[in-house]
């Protein structure tokens, strides 16, 4: 008789938590509702350490999608506090167009991730598209565009944070109550079976 493998926790729980808290904190600062100090600490810990941890735990779970997504945005949030620190101390400052190039790269990455996410449910790709829009609009401001465009980007990222919080609740309740009680909507398209995907990667 074979022993049952122990049930492991879903690293997405802390990954989503880190994204929600870091994104919410940063956008409140961008909208002028608080100063940069919380962004430094919350971004580094929840956005950076927590999301990278979730990404590495996804590696051990064999989850390629969340491995790359949480690591990508986790390291993004480790860089962002460095930008703030450099600006405060006056060394290795990253401002203006340089900041814009950085946010543009992650806007494009979120769009790339959204395509794969669309094979899972509705809420996940919409969340990533909101991230794409938010970072894209903030990129415009970083390249000298009007501040109102960046503020619109903050609103889009607040929407992404709210959707991520919804997915966190769905996942938490499904894992702790044993059944899904919050709908995520249907996938936008079907994907090949895992066997077919593996055959294409050999």
């Amino acid at each position: 008789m074979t022993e049952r493998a122990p049930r492991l926790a879903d690293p997405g729980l802390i990954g989503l938590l880190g994204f929600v808290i870091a994104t919410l904190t940063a956008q409140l600062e961008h909208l002028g509702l608080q100063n940069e100090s919380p962004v430094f600490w919350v971004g580094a810990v929840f956005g950076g350490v927590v999301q990278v941890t979730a990404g590495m735990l996804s590696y051990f779970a064999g989850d390629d999608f969340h491995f790359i997504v949480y690591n990508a945005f986790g390291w993004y949030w480790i860089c962002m506090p460095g930008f703030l620190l450099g600006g405060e101390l006056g060394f290795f400052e990253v401002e203006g167009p340089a900041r814009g190039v950085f946010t543009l790269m992650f806007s494009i990455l979120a769009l790339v991730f959204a395509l794969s996410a669309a094979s899972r449910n509705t809420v996940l790709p919409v969340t990533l598209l909101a991230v794409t829009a938010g970072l894209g609009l903030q990129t415009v401001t970083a390249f000298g565009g009007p501040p109102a465009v960046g503020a619109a980007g903050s609103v889009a990222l607040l929407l992404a944070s709210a959707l991520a919080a919804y997915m966190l609740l769905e996942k938490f309740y499904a894992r702790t109550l044993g059944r899904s009680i919050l709908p995520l909507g249907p996938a936008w398209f079907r994907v090949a079976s895992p066997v077919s995907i593996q055959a294409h990667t050999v």
Side-chain angles (χ1 to χ4, degrees):
M1 182 178 178
T2 58
E3 295 184 3
R4 291 183 60 186
R7 181 178 182 270
L8 301 177
D10 186 342
L13 289 167
I14 61 169
L16 287 168
L17 179 67
F19 176 84
V20 169
I21 294 177
T23 303
L24 177 61
T25 302
Q27 302 323 308
L28 290 178
E29 186 275 327
H30 287 160
L31 293 173
L33 301 177
Q34 63 180 10
N35 60 34
E36 291 183 340
S37 297
V39 180
F40 181 90
W41 296 109
V42 173
V45 176
F46 282 94
V49 175
V50 171
Q51 286 200 89
V52 169
T53 300
M56 296 313 299
L57 291 174
S58 297
Y59 167 83
F60 293 106
D63 185 345
D64 296 312
F65 178 83
H66 289 102
F67 169 70
I68 184 63
V69 171
Y70 287 134
N71 266 295
F73 285 100
W75 289 106
Y76 168 92
W77 276 109
I78 288 174
C79 289
M80 290 301 290
F83 294 167
L84 295 176
L85 184 62
E88 288 293 324
L89 300 181
F91 68 96
F92 297 122
E93 294 183 64
V94 180
E95 296 293 341
R99 182 78 67 92
V101 170
F102 186 73
T103 56
L104 177 60
M105 287 190 295
F106 281 88
S107 175
I108 295 170
L109 268 179
L111 181 61
V112 171
F113 295 153
L115 176 60
S116 179
S119 69
R120 295 167 177 256
N121 55 56
T122 297
V123 178
L124 182 55
V126 171
T127 302
L128 287 165
L129 290 174
V131 172
T132 298
L135 292 179
L137 291 169
Q138 290 184 348
T139 297
V140 173
T141 298
F143 280 109
V149 175
S154 291
V155 172
L157 288 167
L158 286 173
L159 172 61
S161 180
L163 291 170
Y166 179 85
M167 289 190 290
L168 172 60
L169 289 174
E170 187 280 333
K171 189 181 291 289
F172 175 72
Y173 288 138
R175 299 281 294 186
T176 58
L177 300 180
R179 61 192 181 94
S180 180
I181 62 175
L182 296 175
L184 294 177
W188 294 356
F189 59 85
R190 296 180 180 272
V191 297
S193 67
V195 174
S196 299
I197 293 174
Q198 186 176 16
H200 281 87
T201 60
V202 172

